[in-house]
Amino acid sequence: MPILRIYSLIPCSVMVLLAGCLVDSGKKETTADTTHLAPVVTVTPVNRGTHGMAERVLWAFSPDRKAVLVIADPGGVENEPVPNGFFFGDETRGFQTQMDSVWDVAPSPDWKWIGFGRAYTIVPGDGARTDLLTDVSRRTSIDTATLRAGSFPSSGMSLSRAIAQAGVIHVPENPRAQAAADSAVPKLFPVARGWRVRWTTDGTTLALGNNPARAVDNEPSQTWSALDPVTGALHGTLPSSAKLADLKLTGGPTLDRSLPIDLNQSPPIQIQRGNQTFTIQTVRGVITIVGPPGVGSTGAERIVGAGIALAATAGGRYIIALAPRGKPDANELAIEPVVYTVTW
């Protein structure tokens, strides 16, 4: 995953704050001293793909608020389907990942798995009448006949068609373990389903929703197939006793070219590090972490980056934010949803 430098996003007026974050490398630090060090901050765009005419920002936290799923959900003209991008981060396990071009995504009830439906176009709507079946078949390991049968209209104004391919990511308990990399690699199944994805309440089955009845971005699925995320075994229907877990998403701002968004300030966010409470605040378009004043603490501000903070995990490792795009295209939104990763 590429790491983007954030310094260029910080206004010159606040660069003086960096002086308070500098540490004398010759001074010996102990574990107790680490809260006084400047954090290392990286920034990840939630969606590196197409942003559509407008883009919704949504997120969900695990019950302990230590893991987060952030979704950038764009929509096209007349609310036509546009693939989403997502970011997942778990501060307990120190694991994070980002993916573009998915129709839907959902964490398992225990937040140890991520299920998604990968989006592919098999007939573009640009009038070129190019048939991408062969290329998509090679990339998905699904034969062309199955792809054609499993495709659906992805536009109400053209002949474009698309498919969904089911996939999962198994969140490693220890990302530094020898086999962790293999576990965390997205696993795609030769299954042309997954317009919508859900998990059963026991977390053993990924439910794959049927294709949309209309070419509308938020069209729900009416029926579900059952996929075993470990073996890849597919069953045409869910067991009658199965219940689907409900993922409660928080709806953030909708980014629209015609609607300006104030990036000047946002409400403060409380986070907890050990026995200390810190505050994430946005002032004049700069996000900072402010330490608690008192004995043994300077209450210093630590710069995170540009934009406004929307929410954060319990310990503040992952901060959901809106930030100005570094090099905005004339046809793109000037603001994008990002996640700042703060490592102390």
Side-chain angles (χ1 to χ4, degrees), residues 25-339:
S25 59
K27 178 183 175 181
K28 182 178 180 181
E29 299 288 345
T30 67
T31 303
D33 296 323
T34 57
T35 55
H36 299 292
L37 297 177
V40 176
V41 181
T42 57
V43 58
T44 306
V46 178
N47 183 15
R48 294 190 175 98
T50 304
H51 295 272
M53 299 298 295
E55 188 172 57
R56 295 190 304 159
V57 184
L58 309 108
W59 61 84
F61 289 106
S62 60
D64 60 4
R65 290 186 65 88
K66 293 185 177 180
V68 65
L69 173 69
V70 189
I71 303 172
D73 180 12
V77 179
E78 302 294 332
N79 198 29
E80 290 184 338
V82 176
N84 303 341
F86 75 85
F87 175 96
F88 176 92
D90 186 328
E91 62 182 27
T92 298
R93 297 177 175 88
F95 172 81
Q96 68 181 59
T97 188
Q98 185 275 339
M99 182 179 288
D100 302 313
S101 300
V102 300
W103 293 122
D104 199 15
V105 58
S108 60
D110 60 6
W111 285 72
K112 294 182 179 181
W113 291 82
I114 306 166
F116 59 89
R118 192 67 185 263
Y120 291 96
T121 296
I122 62 169
V123 178
D126 55 9
R129 296 185 178 274
T130 304
D131 191 330
L132 302 176
L133 271 173
T134 302
D135 178 64
V136 175
S137 176
R138 182 173 60 254
R139 297 168 63 185
T140 61
S141 299
I142 303 174
D143 65 85
T144 56
T146 300
L147 288 175
R148 192 181 299 277
S151 68
F152 53 86
S154 54
S155 172
M157 299 183 292
S158 69
L159 298 177
S160 63
R161 298 187 69 84
I163 64 113
Q165 182 183 22
V168 296
I169 296 172
H170 187 207
V171 179
E173 288 293 333
N174 179 9
R176 297 177 180 83
Q178 186 173 2
D182 294 335
S183 170
V185 171
K187 182 179 181 181
L188 291 158
F189 301 95
V191 175
R193 300 184 189 183
W195 164 251
R196 293 288 176 256
V197 295
R198 302 275 294 279
W199 288 88
T200 54
T201 52
D202 61 7
T204 62
T205 302
L206 180 64
L208 306 178
N210 69 300
N211 289 341
R214 302 175 299 159
V216 177
D217 191 66
N218 56 354
E219 183 75 1
S221 290
Q222 302 298 329
T223 60
W224 302 86
S225 302
L227 179 72
D228 186 319
V230 178
T231 65
L234 179 69
H235 300 279
T237 58
L238 283 171
S240 58
S241 59
K243 294 182 179 180
L244 297 180
D246 183 24
L247 177 64
K248 297 186 182 300
L249 289 166
T250 298
T254 296
L255 307 181
D256 192 304
R257 300 174 200 173
S258 62
L259 301 176
I261 292 182
D262 183 11
L263 292 185
N264 190 49
Q265 63 181 21
S266 61
I269 302 167
Q270 301 293 316
I271 60 172
Q272 194 75 24
R273 289 188 53 80
N275 58 358
Q276 291 186 311
T277 300
F278 291 76
T279 302
I280 299 171
Q281 62 182 22
T282 304
V283 179
R284 295 189 296 275
V286 179
I287 302 169
T288 59
I289 298 177
V290 181
V295 179
S297 174
T298 62
E301 291 186 348
R302 299 164 173 85
I303 293 177
V304 174
I308 57 172
L310 302 176
T313 48
R317 181 181 179 91
Y318 301 110
I319 301 174
I320 309 166
L322 297 182
R325 194 182 299 276
K327 295 181 179 179
D329 184 271
N331 297 318
E332 290 184 326
L333 301 168
I335 299 171
E336 65 179 344
V338 302
V339 176

